């Protein structure tokens, strides 16, 4: 249904990928993976026709509909929510809008008007043969958390995250034969992600999805496209199956190379020893030919790099950690939550979960002293030293300072060598540490904040969606770091694999503002609560 022929993309001397020849088949759901900066989004934009490749071409089966998740959430500010979703099928949207206008303003004594209405009815019947587009739009919006009473509101009334959800509804409404999704789970809560998984598993055409959510990839995809070494390798299976296979292939190559290097060494020794000996000259010549034929392929260095995240507590935490009693918070007329009460014990590593908008970030901001509650109290223990990863990290990490200077500004006593080591652990080379934080990407800013948190040496970590903008390798490293950490943790995340890695307690803020407090891991929480 979709093929690439010698597809190459380069920017100056930098080659992202070259001579990619793949065919994507209906019924296959592909996860496109690779390190940050490897060219995943660029490759997808080329497939969608949004970017011209340096060389090669994309071939799409005639008549196949292609849809790609939009990235400009501000493109439909004057549209209602319903119309923004309907615009996913532009032909149907334009026909419906023209038809509505003619019925309101048209002269029905004019044959041209009546003929045009007949043409528009045909277009609407072709694009929406069951006349259920309104019902489909309503179901999509409701499933994404938008109640029916706001479907006629303007897009400009929504937050950025909710606007992105509308773009997701838009491309799903179109029902394309080839569906391209770049980070579709961004800004979705766990229940909505589960809904999306079920939607995508029913997709009958070609699906290509980029995601840093391992659980999502494992649930949805049945093939992996691994963008590495400036090429794309296809694997059958989900992400975990690819991970096992890719590591096995690397180890096999290493063993094969070691074997050939040993053989090469033995041949060279034989040749050096006997080439001057007339009786052995023939054998030496034969071995020389063997040596020339020996192909010792260099094992390529992957573009993937695993950060080394280590949180060390400066002192052991005491038995009194955190008491939260009857906290309540409202904005204007909207109640966020009320009567939030829980106690954090020594050794607790808490995953704070709940739907978008229930107040998870608000609760953390109160606990960190950045926001006043309307009522209620909270008290940290005397021995507790916290460090905070705020949700708006990309806005906070800013300025013209060099990376290590930005971190040192938080504590002049921190030694520059230790700061540089922490940045190195987060994959910033010496040269990269010299650039200004303003020039960093979202993912780089998150790694800078994690470097700063390592320097804090706190005994309690408070994190609000730290996995946003991180690639899969960094999320795995973060999960291991939280698991190995000897202090306490409260972390907001929608990444179920990350939760599984560290959490021994789940606190869910429910839609009615109450909480469900569960001692145990996430899998046990789901079994006990049914979701």
């Amino acid at each position: 249904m979709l093929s690439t022929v010698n597809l190459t993309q380069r920017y100056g001397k930098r080659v992202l990928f070259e001579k990619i020849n793949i065919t994507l088949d209906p019924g296959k759901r592909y996860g496109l993976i690779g390190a940050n900066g490897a060219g995943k989004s660029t490759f997808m934009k080329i497939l969608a026709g949004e970017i011209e490749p340096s060389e090669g071409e994309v071939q799409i089966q005639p008549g196949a509909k292609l849809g790609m998740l939009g990235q400009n959430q501000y493109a439909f500010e004057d549209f209602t929510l319903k119309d923004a979703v309907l615009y996913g099928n532009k032909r149907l949207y334009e026909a419906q809008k023209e038809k509505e206008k003619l019925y309101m303003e048209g002269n029905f004594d004019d044959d041209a008007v009546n003929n045009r209405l007949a043409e528009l009815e045909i277009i609407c019947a072709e694009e929406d043969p069951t006349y259920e587009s309104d019902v489909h739009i309503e179901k999509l919006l409701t499933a994404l958390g938008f109640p029916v009473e706001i479907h006629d509101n303007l897009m400009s009334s929504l937050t950025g995250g909710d606007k992105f959800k509308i773009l997701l509804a838009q491309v799903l409404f179109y029902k394309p034969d080839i569906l391209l999704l770049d980070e579709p789970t961004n800004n979705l809560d766990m229940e909505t992600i589960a809904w999306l998984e079920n939607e995508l598993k029913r997709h009958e055409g070609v699906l290509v999805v980029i995601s840093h959510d391992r659980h999502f990839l494992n649930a949805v995809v049945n093939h992996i496209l691994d963008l590495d070494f400036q090429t794309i390798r296809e694997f059958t299976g989900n992400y975990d199956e690819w991970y096992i296979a890719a590591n096995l292939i690397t180890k096999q190559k290493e063993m094969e190379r070691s074997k050939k290097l040993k053989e090469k060494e033995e041949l060279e020794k034989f040749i050096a020893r006997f080439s001057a000996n007339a009786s052995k000259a023939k054998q030496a010549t034969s071995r020389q030919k063997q040596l020339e034929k020996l192909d010792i392929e260099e094992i390529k260095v992957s573009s993937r790099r695993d950060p080394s995240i280590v949180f060390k507590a400066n002192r052991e935490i005491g038995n009194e950690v955190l008491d939260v009693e009857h906290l309540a918070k409202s904005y204007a007329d909207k109640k966020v939550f009320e009567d939030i009460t829980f106690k954090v014990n020594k050794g607790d590593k808490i995953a704070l979960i709940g739907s978008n908008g229930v107040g998870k970030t608000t609760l953390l901001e109160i606990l960190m002293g950045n926001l006043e509650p309307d009522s209620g109290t909270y008290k940290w223990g005397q021995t507790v030293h916290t460090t905070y990863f705020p949700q708006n990290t990309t806005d906070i990490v800013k300025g013209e300072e060099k990376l290590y200077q930005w971190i040192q500004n938080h504590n002049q006593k921190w030694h520059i060598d230790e700061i540089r080591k922490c940045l190195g652990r987060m994959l910033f080379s010496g040269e990269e540490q010299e650039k200004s934080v303003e020039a960093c990407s979202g993912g780089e800013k998150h790694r800078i904040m994690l470097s700063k948190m390592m320097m804090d040496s706190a005994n309690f970590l408070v994190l609000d969606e730290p996995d946003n903008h991180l690639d899969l390798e960094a999320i795995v490293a973060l999960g291991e770091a939280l698991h190995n950490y000897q202090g306490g943790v409260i972390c907001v995340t929608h990444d179920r694999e990350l939760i599984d890695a560290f959490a021994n307690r789940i606190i869910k803020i429910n839609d009615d503002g109450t909480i469900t407090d569960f001692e145990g891991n996430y899998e046990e929480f789901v079994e006990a609560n049914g979701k």
Side-chain angles (χ1 to χ4, degrees):
M1 183 172 280
L2 183 151
S3 301
T4 66
V5 181
N6 293 328
L7 208 62
T8 299
Q9 187 67 17
R10 64 175 72 88
Y11 293 103
K13 292 182 179 179
R14 186 181 174 221
V15 178
L16 284 182
F17 45 82
E18 61 180 339
K19 298 196 182 304
I20 305 295
N21 293 284
I22 57 171
T23 298
L24 306 181
D25 301 316
K28 293 182 179 178
R29 302 186 298 274
Y30 301 90
L32 178 58
I33 65 171
N36 281 351
K40 301 185 296 296
S41 294
T42 300
F43 181 75
M44 192 171 273
K45 286 176 181 176
I46 291 173
L47 294 184
E50 293 182 6
I51 293 178
E52 282 293 318
S54 302
E55 293 173 21
E57 61 177 344
V58 176
Q59 297 176 346
I60 297 176
Q61 181 179 313
K65 295 195 302 181
L66 184 146
M68 181 170 175
L69 175 60
Q71 298 296 320
N72 181 7
Q73 67 262 47
Y74 299 101
F76 301 94
E77 292 293 88
D78 297 327
F79 283 63
T80 65
L81 273 58
K82 286 196 303 188
D83 281 351
V85 177
L86 178 62
Y87 194 82
N89 186 331
K90 194 176 177 184
R91 187 168 182 251
L92 177 61
Y93 170 85
E94 290 177 344
Q96 281 196 12
K97 292 303 168 187
E98 187 180 347
K99 191 172 70 167
E100 288 170 11
K101 188 176 180 183
L102 286 175
Y103 275 122
M104 288 185 67
E105 303 173 4
N107 178 4
F108 297 110
D109 294 329
D110 187 341
D111 287 343
V113 170
N114 291 315
N115 289 338
R116 182 56 183 160
L117 280 169
E119 290 170 0
L120 293 171
E121 286 290 356
I122 291 169
I123 292 171
C124 289
E126 287 174 349
E127 296 298 324
D128 183 24
T130 60
Y131 291 91
E132 291 182 333
S133 61
D134 285 349
V135 176
H136 186 204
I137 290 170
E138 186 176 301
K139 284 182 178 177
L140 280 171
L141 287 172
T142 305
L144 286 166
F146 300 102
V148 174
E149 54 268 25
I150 70 164
H151 290 182
D152 287 313
N153 289 6
L154 291 179
M155 285 284 285
S156 57
S157 67
L158 300 181
T159 63
D162 280 346
K163 288 173 186 179
F164 187 81
K165 289 184 186 179
I166 300 296
L167 297 183
L168 180 58
Q170 188 182 76
V171 73
L172 292 175
F173 171 74
Y174 185 46
K175 292 185 177 178
D177 303 302
I178 302 164
L179 178 57
L180 308 177
L181 302 175
D182 190 349
E183 294 290 354
T185 61
N186 280 359
N187 305 296
L188 300 185
D189 56 42
M190 292 163 79
E191 290 178 8
T192 312
I193 292 171
W195 168 83
L196 179 60
E197 288 171 359
N198 290 327
E199 287 288 304
L200 297 181
K201 282 189 278 193
R202 292 201 293 266
H203 184 73
E204 295 177 352
V206 171
L207 169 67
V208 183
V209 60
I210 298 171
S211 178
H212 293 152
D213 185 328
R214 292 164 292 161
H215 190 287
F216 177 76
L217 286 175
N218 283 329
V220 170
V221 308
N222 50 29
H223 284 73
I224 293 290
L225 300 175
D226 180 18
L227 177 49
D228 202 359
F229 310 117
Q230 300 175 343
T231 189
I232 289 179
R233 294 184 296 175
E234 182 180 343
F235 291 81
T236 300
N238 62 22
Y239 177 80
D240 282 351
E241 289 162 339
W242 162 82
Y243 187 83
I244 293 166
N247 278 284
L248 185 63
I249 289 168
T250 301
K251 283 181 180 174
Q252 285 174 338
K253 281 190 172 182
E254 286 173 352
M255 287 171 64
E256 193 177 320
R257 186 173 183 275
S258 295
K259 185 181 174 184
K260 286 182 178 178
L261 281 171
K262 189 175 180 182
E263 187 180 344
K264 178 176 181 279
E265 186 182 354
E266 288 173 354
L267 288 171
E268 286 173 336
K269 281 181 182 177
F270 186 92
I271 292 163
R273 185 177 174 191
F274 296 114
S275 57
N277 186 326
S279 63
K280 298 283 187 179
K282 192 172 181 182
Q283 284 177 280
T285 304
S286 173
R287 299 290 168 89
Q288 180 65 45
K289 287 179 181 177
Q290 275 181 264
L291 183 61
E292 288 167 1
K293 288 179 182 177
L294 199 60
D295 178 25
I296 300 174
E297 183 185 355
E298 284 294 327
I299 296 173
K300 295 177 183 175
V301 177
S302 172
S303 58
R304 288 185 178 84
R305 295 184 295 164
D306 296 335
S308 175
I309 305 174
V310 179
F311 298 116
K312 290 182 179 177
N314 56 357
R315 62 183 290 188
E316 186 177 352
I317 206 163
N319 291 325
E320 299 293 323
V321 182
L322 173 65
D323 276 330
V324 176
E325 293 187 359
H326 310 299
L327 280 185
K329 185 66 181 177
S330 298
Y331 291 108
D333 298 327
K334 185 178 183 290
K335 179 185 73 177
V336 181
F337 50 72
E338 63 179 356
D339 200 25
I340 297 281
T341 299
F342 62 91
K343 182 176 182 176
V344 178
N345 303 305
K346 185 177 180 179
D348 280 349
K349 294 182 179 179
I350 299 167
L352 182 62
I353 65 172
S355 303
N356 286 342
V358 296
K360 300 184 297 295
T361 295
T362 299
L363 177 59
L364 295 193
E365 286 287 299
I366 289 171
L367 296 180
M368 296 309 297
N370 299 328
L371 200 60
E372 284 293 319
D374 295 337
S375 60
T377 62
Y378 67 93
K379 184 181 179 184
W380 290 98
Q382 295 262 333
T383 63
V384 178
H385 170 202
T386 62
T387 184
Y388 184 35
F389 189 109
Q391 191 181 79
N392 63 335
T393 282
T394 50
D395 298 325
I396 290 172
V397 182
K398 62 182 180 181
E400 295 305 319
E401 299 108 324
K402 295 172 182 178
L403 273 54
Y404 51 86
Q405 290 172 336
W406 186 88
I407 292 176
Q408 194 173 45
N409 283 346
H410 290 82
N411 190 334
Q412 292 298 323
K413 292 180 181 178
W414 289 343
H415 198 281
I416 201 73
D417 287 345
E418 289 302 313
I419 295 172
R420 281 185 171 277
K421 283 177 185 176
C422 282
L423 286 166
R425 283 179 173 276
M426 294 309 298
L427 308 180
F428 292 104
S429 66
E431 186 179 325
E432 288 172 322
Q433 293 179 21
E434 297 295 329
K435 68 181 179 181
S436 73
V437 292
E438 200 65 46
C440 292
S441 66
E444 287 173 328
K445 288 183 175 184
H446 275 217
R447 287 191 278 127
I448 292 168
M449 183 61 81
L450 289 170
S451 301
K452 182 258 178 190
M453 291 180 76
M454 283 192 274
M455 288 299 301
D456 272 322
S457 300
N459 56 19
F460 200 100
L461 308 178
V462 181
L463 306 105
D464 193 353
E465 301 201 32
D467 47 293
N468 283 354
H469 300 291
L470 297 183
D471 59 22
L472 282 156
E473 287 71 32
I475 295 171
V476 170
L478 177 60
E480 290 175 354
L482 295 179
H483 174 78
N484 295 327
Y485 179 56
Q486 296 302 304
V489 176
I490 297 178
C491 179
V492 172
T493 178
H494 298 307
D495 189 311
R496 288 152 292 180
E497 297 283 341
L498 179 57
I499 292 173
D500 284 341
F502 79 90
N504 57 22
R505 182 175 172 187
I506 310 295
I507 295 180
K508 180 182 181 183
I509 303 181
N510 301 309
D511 292 346
D512 62 2
T514 62
I515 66 168
T516 301
D517 191 349
F518 182 83
E519 298 276 351
N521 62 32
Y522 183 69
E523 189 176 325
E524 292 165 341
F525 170 82
V526 172
E527 286 178 11
N529 293 274
K531 60 180 180 178

